[in-house]
Amino acid sequence: IYKWYRSGLNRWHGLGSTADFQKIIQERCDNYPQQIWSYSRSRNCQEIKQAFMSAFISKDPCKATKEDYRRLIDLADPTVPCNKIVLWSKTKELAREYAKPRGLVTLEDTLLGSLADDLHWCGEPGSPDLNTWSCPDWKKDCRTNYLTVFWEVLSKRFAESACGTVQVVLDGSLENAFNEMSIFGRVEAPNLKPMVTLQAWLVHDPGKPPRDSCSGSSITKLKSILSERNVRFICRDNLSRDEFLGRF
Ligand code: C8R
C-alpha cells in the first residue's frame, strides 16, 4: 500500500499546487497596476498564462530547466530603473514594507514576480492537470523542481538587470545573515553587474538580539563574492525594525 501511495500523485514531500492556480494567475495579471506596465513587455494576460502553464504541464516535476521558462520570461522580463531594486533573504515582508513607501521595487512588484508570489505549482507526466496533492520539495525530492527553477531564472534576470545602488535586506537575528545556499546567495549576489553598489541592511527582529554583523564571517563571504565581480559594498548593521523602517 505504501508503494502505491508513493508512486501516485501523493509521492512528493512538498505542498501540492495551489487550488485555482490558473484563475489566480489570470486575475493577478488582469489586475497588475497600470503605472508599472513598463516592467513588463507584454500585457497579454491570456498569452502570459498560457506560457506559464505550458512551461510545466505534462512534464516530469523534477526535470525543470531554464529553457522551460524562456518563453514566459521573454514575455514579461523584469526591467526596473536604476537605484530602485530591493533584494532580500528571509525578510520578504520587511523588505516589501521598506520598499513600498519609498517607491522601491522588489521582485514581487514586477509582473511575473507578482503572479507567482506565494503560489505552488507542478504537473504530472502524461496529464493535462496540476498535481494538487503534492509537489517536489527542494531538499527531500529534487532541486530541479519547477518552483525553484522559476525563482532562480527570474531572480537571475532581476539581479543582472540592476544598476546603480541595489539594496538588500538581511535578517541580523540569524547566525548567518548571508546564506550562500539561498537564492540571494547563490543566484542574485553572483550575478550583479560590475560597478553596481550593493547596500546591505542587517535588521534584527523585535525582542531578539542581533547575532550577525557586517564584520561577521557570513558577510565577509558576501564581500569576497562581490569584490571578485567589482561590485562595491556598503553595510549597515545593528538596526532594529523601527530604525530601519524610519519609525523611531
Ligand atoms: N526571490 C526568491 N524567492 C522568492 C521570491 C523572490 O522574489 N518571491 C517568493 N515568494 N519567493 P528566502 P532567498 C519564494 O530563503 O532564497 C528573489 C520562493 O519559493 O527567504 O534568498 C528576491 O529577489 C523561494 O524558494 O530567500 C530575493 O532577493 C523562497 O520564497 C531573493 O530572491 C525564498 O525565500 C530571495 O530568495
Side-chain angles (χ1 to χ4, degrees):
I1 283 183
Y2 182 76
K3 219 172 164 185
W4 166 81
Y5 179 78
R6 281 294 168 207
S7 67
L9 292 171
N10 232 331
R11 72 175 163 289
W12 309 114
H13 296 85
L15 282 179
S17 306
T18 309
D20 294 323
F21 178 83
Q22 289 214 55
K23 204 174 138 222
I24 297 172
I25 295 284
Q26 180 78 46
E27 276 171 11
R28 288 184 176 180
C29 186
D30 289 336
N31 295 328
Y32 185 73
Q34 288 205 13
Q35 62 272 30
I36 38 182
W37 282 0
S38 57
Y39 297 158
S40 89
R41 218 169 276 151
S42 170
R43 284 292 299 165
N44 184 338
C45 289
Q46 192 65 27
E47 204 183 347
I48 289 171
K49 189 181 75 184
Q50 270 159 15
F52 205 147
M53 301 308 289
S54 62
F56 68 96
I57 285 296
S58 303
K59 297 184 186 171
D60 182 333
C62 271
K63 290 193 177 145
T65 66
K66 293 175 194 140
E67 283 64 43
D68 288 324
Y69 284 117
R70 179 164 301 157
R71 215 178 90 73
L72 176 63
I73 307 271
D74 283 346
L75 283 174
D77 212 2
T79 54
V80 177
C82 288
N83 307 315
K84 285 199 182 293
I85 286 187
V86 177
L87 306 175
W88 49 268
S89 196
K90 309 286 177 283
T91 54
K92 184 171 86 174
E93 302 312 325
L94 178 62
R96 292 185 54 72
E97 224 178 296
Y98 171 75
K100 200 173 180 197
R102 293 169 177 81
L104 303 172
V105 179
T106 68
L107 190 52
E108 289 69 35
D109 294 314
T110 69
L111 179 58
L112 291 183
S114 76
L115 295 190
D117 191 20
D118 294 333
L119 300 185
H120 292 257
W121 62 92
C122 67
E124 174 71 13
S127 158
D129 301 322
L130 285 85
N131 182 348
T132 51
W133 294 96
S134 68
C135 288
D137 175 76
W138 194 76
K139 274 200 189 123
K140 292 182 181 150
D141 300 306
C142 53
R143 294 186 176 194
T144 50
N145 64 72
Y146 277 91
L147 198 62
T148 302
V149 171
F150 173 85
W151 287 113
E152 286 173 352
V153 172
L154 196 62
S155 301
K156 179 165 185 272
R157 290 286 193 117
F158 195 48
E160 283 169 346
S161 77
C163 46
T165 298
V166 178
Q167 308 186 53
V168 64
V169 185
L170 298 174
D171 185 345
S173 309
L174 298 173
E175 193 180 327
N176 294 303
F178 175 69
N179 174 353
E180 269 185 280
M181 295 299 282
S182 66
I183 293 185
F184 172 69
R186 70 179 194 277
V187 177
E188 292 179 326
N191 279 293
L192 292 170
K193 284 187 301 215
M195 307 313 287
V196 161
T197 298
L198 183 71
Q199 160 82 65
W201 306 101
L202 266 63
V203 185
H204 53 86
D205 294 341
K208 283 195 197 168
R211 285 173 79 196
D212 202 355
S213 74
C214 290
S215 53
S217 64
S218 85
I219 299 296
T220 304
K221 177 69 204 173
L222 172 58
K223 272 184 204 158
S224 80
I225 291 172
L226 297 171
S227 72
E228 271 169 40
R229 298 189 53 82
N230 277 313
V231 172
R232 281 181 296 175
F233 185 63
I234 306 171
C235 185
R236 178 89 197 270
D237 56 16
N238 200 12
L239 288 161
S240 70
R241 269 181 81 92
D242 285 350
E243 281 168 339
F244 175 60
L245 293 174
R247 303 184 300 219
F248 290 96

